Amino acid sequence: MWQRFTLDDVRTIGHYLGVLILFLAASMAVPFVVALAFQEWKPATHYLLAIGISLILGSGLRLLRVAPARLSRRQALAVTGFAWIVLAFIAAIPLYMSGHFNRFVDALFEGVSGLTTTGASLVVDLDHMSMADNTWRFMMILLGGLGLIVVALALGLFGKRSGASLYSSEGRSDHLVPNVVQTTQFIAKFALLFILAATVILTVVLTFAGIEPVRAAFHSVCLSISAFMTGGFTPMAQSVLYYHSFPLEFILMLLMLAGSISFTLHAELRKGRIGAFFRDIEVRTLVIWLAVATCVMAASLSVSLSFNDLPTMLRRGVFMVISSFSTTGFQNITTNQLAGVFSSGAFIALAVCMAVGGSAGSTTGGLKLLRMGIMAKSIVSTIKEAVAPDSARVAVTYYRLGRRRVTPDIVKEAMTVFVLYVSTYTIGALVGIAHGYDAMQAIFESVAMASNGGIVSGLVAPDMPITLELFYIFEMWAGRLEFVTLLAILVEVVVSIVPRRLRHRTQAQGVRR
Amino acid sequence: MSALTGGWKRSAAAPKCDGCVCGNHARGRWLVRSLAAAVAGAMLAIACLVALPSSAWAADDNLVNPQQRPDSSFIYDTEISALNSADTYYDGQTVQVVGEAVGDIINVEIDGSYRWVNLSSEEQGVVYSVAVHMTDNAADRIDTLGGYSTVGTTLQVRGTFHLVCPDHDGVTDIHADVVSVVDPGTQHPDEFSWEGFIPGAIAVAIGFVLMFVFYRLRERQR
Ligand SMILES: [Zn+2]
């Protein structure tokens, strides 16, 4: 039976969303301090006002329920699901005040794109944006990449008891250590270490490239966060192309690869279990998949008129494959080259890479390699069963922190999410086509949104139709939550709004949960 | 010839031409000559005035590409936005663009005497940019780079446009032959004023009051 939200539910959910908004207000202190440090007084006033507004909203929501009980699973789902859109809304306030967005929805798009680590951007004139506003864009990537809930849990914002149900509702539900708060702290520490190391190296590279040290350091922090969190924002409008630096691109590729491998596996590697790492189903799928994608890309580019000499192909092609498969969204070719000069085969290969995505339990979006691997195993199992004698029992296994059997439940989950992703890609493509865009580009853009990939071929632009923009916001949101959480709350919201009598009739017809 | 002239576009920021080799003169001369045939008289006098400083061009210290191919002698005075959606038609053509130098001057890998400069220009609310490959001497003429609270030096660049540059691993770029300064950059730093912070301060104060109310209420419930 579908359950409707009671007033008590709404108050509790409101309370916890309020906590998250207060947390966002606190993190706005970072761009505020940056603004003061670089004497960007106008942005400083914007961030102070935004902090004030979020404090009022957050505290106000918390007053809905002064002493909330422990979150139930349903409530946790709702908090997680709404958090992304509510926080994006708050995050959009200072962005909109910056004057770099044509309308508020564009700033909201930027907020959703940042928090879901999609990386598509609607900033107008990014090259003249203040350091403070840029800092805020990368703060969003950092918070969203780690997982809003993960960060809040690591800081102990929800208390000890509500943790478990919240954590598992955020989509990336690998448990590294039994205690949820410890797990989240491990992830946060680990990611920050990686980002710090990369920042130091990139600062050296960029200083050698001729950028003054303070700016070089700033760009390095931004790029490191964006690469490891597989976000895709860049501080300059020309994306990674801006730097004209192969060493930089190489380091970013390593970071993106590291970011697209599950945190669980990172933990295994750190414990020295190299065997477990290479036997893992996702690492194997990743190696096979990357090899296939690169070959397809190379084959398609080598018969095209440009990008067909080897150094060019390696530098542009491999970077774009890694950027798309890790759903980062960096570009070291221009959007014009992507849509107009790249062969259509290479174009589609990138879209497929984004659609599949990286490892489950990492910051990548898309379907995830684990699900692809399991579905492949399921196909193998079906064939085995077909050819095996009647008496034989077929067991197909995969390796993930130990050998596991491919059970119908696991396959069902993988298939369900697969179908949901593919239908969203398709519907999004149709929405784009209905707005009069080129079909190939519409498909590409829809995949880039729902997979949180963020490489754009031209549809996402400051003057795009608002209906398309709203649909893309929905796609990013749905993709980040891997659908199940989102569909669950949508159903509950609908059920809560539809009058009771109607619902009784459906219940009488025997609709059961 | 006449078919080609249909392609001329007037650049948005018409540069001042005295002393630079900018191609506007070649066009100006041709235009005026054709107009003169129709109007004659007074117009001819203007034509003479425009043509006069032409002898001074060669003395300019701008870099001129001696290997300029004869087939690229038609220069396309174009917008950066057009290059941002360029197809192969533009590839290898000599183009001339005007734009603001933004961001940083970046060293070209391997070849130390060249620099990358990012030129950008705004058109109908959208900002377009293009990478320009130029000598370090040319890049030295940039006094300000565009960024927050600065408007960079406006440059006019004439050079060869590459859609997929064979020399630089396939980037879209312009190899500059002639770089001239149209407008120097300007700085307009934010002025500090306490008044600007007042709305924020009030909001933060209200926020803290609400937070205080929350904790008082919770204490009372225990
Ligand atoms: Zn080049």
Side-chain angles (χ1 to χ4, degrees):
Chain A
M1 187 186 95
W2 303 107
Q3 274 186 300
R4 63 159 59 199
F5 284 125
T6 60
L7 183 64
D8 192 56
D9 285 336
V10 173
R11 286 170 64 194
T12 308
I13 293 164
H15 173 92
Y16 283 104
L17 284 176
V19 173
L20 284 171
I21 291 175
L22 287 182
F23 167 61
L24 203 69
S27 52
M28 277 183 200
V30 177
F32 180 64
V33 169
V34 169
L36 293 182
F38 289 94
Q39 304 190 328
E40 297 173 341
W41 305 120
K42 257 186 221 143
T45 61
H46 298 158
Y47 281 94
L48 191 66
L49 183 58
I51 290 171
I53 294 172
S54 348
L55 283 178
I56 294 171
L57 279 174
S59 298
L61 280 172
R62 262 176 114 195
L63 282 169
L64 283 176
R65 193 92 166 82
V66 176
R70 188 187 163 178
L71 272 175
S72 70
R73 223 187 75 82
R74 289 173 53 237
Q75 291 168 344
L77 275 181
V79 170
T80 318
F82 286 124
W84 297 89
I85 219 73
V86 169
L87 294 191
F89 202 85
I90 304 284
I93 294 172
L95 289 177
Y96 182 62
M97 286 194 278
S98 74
H100 282 272
F101 295 90
N102 289 345
R103 51 190 181 204
F104 186 80
V105 183
D106 288 4
L108 178 66
F109 182 98
E110 191 87 1
V112 173
S113 175
L115 288 174
T116 58
T117 69
T118 303
S121 181
L122 284 180
V123 181
V124 176
D125 197 11
L126 178 57
D127 296 339
H128 286 98
M129 196 178 231
S130 66
M131 300 271 258
D133 289 315
N134 250 327
T135 307
W136 183 231
R137 290 172 74 230
F138 292 93
M139 276 299 286
M140 294 193 302
I141 294 259
L142 182 65
L143 297 177
L146 287 170
L148 293 170
I149 306 295
V150 166
V151 177
L153 285 173
L155 295 172
L157 292 183
F158 289 113
K160 277 176 190 143
R161 282 158 54 210
S162 299
S165 47
L166 266 173
Y167 185 67
S168 54
S169 61
E170 202 172 36
R172 296 160 187 169
S173 45
D174 265 339
H175 287 252
L176 310 189
V177 275
N179 181 312
V180 178
V181 175
Q182 273 177 21
T183 306
T184 55
Q185 282 173 348
F186 169 79
I187 293 177
K189 263 189 220 160
F190 182 80
L192 292 181
L193 262 177
F194 236 99
I195 289 166
L196 196 72
T199 300
V200 174
I201 301 171
L202 285 184
T203 305
V204 175
V205 170
L206 288 183
T207 310
F208 270 108
I211 300 180
E212 56 177 277
V214 176
R215 263 179 79 84
F218 179 73
H219 282 221
S220 301
V221 178
C222 295
L223 290 170
S224 304
I225 291 175
S226 199
F228 187 70
M229 291 297 154
T230 65
F233 280 166
T234 47
M236 302 301 288
Q238 288 238 340
S239 193
V240 171
L241 199 58
Y242 174 80
Y243 302 96
H244 298 280
S245 164
F246 177 70
L248 175 112
E249 285 164 25
F250 184 74
I251 293 161
L252 290 182
M253 279 196 268
L254 292 184
L255 271 178
M256 289 190 276
L257 274 176
S260 52
I261 289 170
S262 155
F263 286 115
T264 322
L265 288 176
H266 279 300
E268 288 292 291
L269 266 186
R270 231 170 57 131
K271 288 176 202 152
R273 293 183 197 148
I274 294 165
F277 181 81
F278 284 107
R279 253 183 303 169
D280 187 272
I281 180 171
E282 283 201 301
V283 174
R284 291 190 171 177
T285 317
L286 180 139
V287 172
I288 296 170
W289 173 233
L290 266 188
V292 170
T294 312
C295 288
V296 170
M297 186 86 174
S300 173
L301 282 182
S302 58
V303 295
S304 69
L305 288 173
S306 38
F307 288 108
N308 53 6
D309 65 304
L310 195 65
T312 304
M313 208 158 75
L314 282 179
R315 181 157 173 193
R316 309 291 155 191
V318 173
F319 186 90
M320 289 309 287
V321 164
I322 290 182
S323 172
S324 55
F325 119 89
S326 65
T327 67
T328 306
F330 284 151
Q331 290 180 216
N332 72 346
I333 56 173
T334 63
T335 301
N336 182 40
Q337 286 178 323
L338 178 66
V341 186
F342 248 38
S343 61
S344 57
F347 189 66
I348 285 300
L350 290 182
V352 174
C353 281
M354 283 196 284
V356 171
S359 164
S362 73
T363 61
T364 60
L367 276 158
K368 307 280 153 52
L369 295 167
L370 180 62
R371 297 204 181 92
M372 298 305 279
I374 285 174
M375 288 196 303
K377 290 267 182 184
S378 158
I379 293 167
V380 171
S381 140
T382 311
I383 295 168
K384 266 191 182 173
E385 271 165 24
V387 296
D390 291 342
S391 56
R393 273 192 69 236
V394 180
V396 175
T397 61
Y398 67 96
Y399 194 92
R400 163 125 271 197
L401 306 178
R403 198 145 285 285
R404 299 177 189 201
R405 273 200 63 184
V406 177
T407 62
D409 274 352
I410 293 173
V411 176
K412 183 185 143 205
E413 191 272 348
M415 294 281 193
T416 308
V417 177
F418 178 85
V419 170
L420 284 169
Y421 265 110
V422 173
S423 4
T424 311
Y425 294 151
T426 315
I427 295 168
L430 291 176
V431 171
I433 292 166
H435 281 84
Y437 289 101
D438 173 71
M440 287 274 273
Q441 276 168 275
I443 294 169
F444 190 91
E445 222 82 335
S446 170
V447 169
M449 292 298 119
S451 70
N452 301 130
I455 299 177
V456 294
S457 69
L459 267 64
V460 171
D463 51 357
M464 70 195 284
I466 198 157
T467 39
L468 185 64
E469 189 174 350
L470 289 173
F471 193 82
Y472 281 169
I473 289 176
F474 175 78
E475 280 195 80
M476 291 190 275
W477 184 28
R480 174 59 181 80
L481 289 170
E482 298 194 336
F483 301 99
V484 180
T485 303
L486 182 72
L487 291 178
I489 34 173
L490 283 186
V491 165
E492 295 215 43
V493 167
V494 170
V495 164
S496 305
I497 294 168
V498 173
R500 216 169 256 279
R501 232 188 316 141
L502 253 172
R503 289 197 313 122
H504 276 302
R505 210 180 307 147
T506 43
Q507 275 164 29
Q509 284 163 356
V511 179
R512 289 285 180 271
R513 193 174 182 170
Chain B
M1 186 84 189
S2 62
L4 235 168
T5 51
W8 294 125
K9 263 199 283 176
R10 197 150 253 305
S11 67
K16 300 174 215 122
C17 293
D18 25 306
C20 79
V21 193
C22 69
N24 267 357
H25 291 95
R27 173 174 49 142
R29 218 167 8 165
W30 183 86
L31 260 176
V32 168
R33 205 184 297 155
S34 61
L35 276 171
V39 190
M43 293 303 271
L44 250 168
I46 297 169
C48 293
L49 278 174
V50 173
L52 249 174
S54 63
S55 55
W57 297 348
D60 194 75
D61 65 334
N62 284 333
L63 184 92
V64 177
N65 185 359
Q67 281 126 31
Q68 193 154 20
R69 285 170 292 157
D71 61 338
S72 63
S73 55
F74 302 119
I75 301 151
Y76 286 81
D77 194 10
T78 181
E79 309 286 337
I80 293 174
S81 61
L83 298 182
N84 271 235
S85 55
D87 52 19
T88 46
Y89 176 71
Y90 276 100
D91 200 15
Q93 300 276 12
T94 301
V95 295
Q96 179 164 287
V97 293
V98 173
E100 176 195 351
V102 292
D104 308 86
I105 297 171
I106 290 172
N107 301 336
V108 173
E109 288 169 335
I110 303 164
D111 195 342
S113 59
Y114 282 91
R115 301 284 179 271
W116 288 110
V117 171
N118 208 23
L119 276 198
S120 86
S121 79
E122 191 236 289
E123 213 174 295
Q124 290 171 352
V126 186
V127 177
Y128 301 92
S129 56
V130 67
V132 179
H133 181 259
M134 60 173 74
T135 60
D136 47 0
N137 287 332
D140 283 344
R141 292 180 204 158
I142 299 167
D143 60 354
T144 318
L145 284 157
Y148 184 71
S149 77
T150 57
V151 176
T153 311
T154 307
L155 297 180
Q156 185 183 57
V157 168
R158 187 213 287 175
T160 315
F161 176 74
H162 298 282
L163 187 58
V164 181
C165 179
D167 301 337
H168 297 110
D169 292 342
V171 295
T172 296
D173 63 9
I174 297 174
H175 290 195
D177 295 327
V178 183
V179 176
S180 46
V181 173
V182 176
D183 264 323
T186 52
Q187 306 221 350
H188 44 90
D190 284 357
E191 295 212 0
F192 183 83
S193 79
W194 286 107
E195 287 86 55
F197 287 92
I198 290 173
I202 294 173
V204 170
I206 298 173
F208 276 119
V209 167
L210 279 175
M211 210 187 263
F212 177 74
V213 169
F214 172 81
Y215 283 109
R216 281 304 290 273
L217 281 174
R218 198 164 72 173
E219 261 170 44
R220 214 173 289 170
Q221 281 208 353
R222 275 184 185 160

